[in-house]
């Protein structure tokens, strides 16, 4: 069984850069770069003690 690792921002940035370099690539055409960024945002560690105090 394959091991799964969550998408992080470093990987998502690398995917986006590749899509920017070649806009006709399957990665760019399928919108995978945007989905990778969204997944990285969802996988950000949420600190339960990180409050926005005004």
């Amino acid at each position: 069984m394959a091991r799964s690792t969550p998408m992080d921002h470093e990987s998502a940035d690398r995917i986006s850069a590749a899509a920017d370099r070649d806009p006709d690539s399957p990665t760019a055409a399928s919108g995978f770069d945007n989905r990778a960024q969204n997944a990285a945002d969802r996988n950000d560690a949420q600190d339960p003690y990180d409050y926005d105090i005004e």
Side-chain angles (χ1 to χ4, degrees):
M1 178 179 267
R3 207 171 63 164
S4 175
T5 56
M7 179 66 69
D8 60 7
H9 282 284
E10 181 180 349
S11 298
D13 291 343
R14 207 170 43 249
I15 292 167
S16 293
D20 290 343
R21 278 193 307 271
D22 185 5
D24 295 325
S25 70
T27 298
S30 70
F32 182 67
D33 55 334
N34 291 330
R35 293 194 312 273
Q37 288 292 338
N38 290 338
D41 290 341
R42 280 193 311 271
N43 291 330
D44 273 345
Q46 296 296 322
D47 184 357
Y49 300 106
D50 186 20
Y51 299 107
D52 289 331
I53 299 175
E54 295 180 19

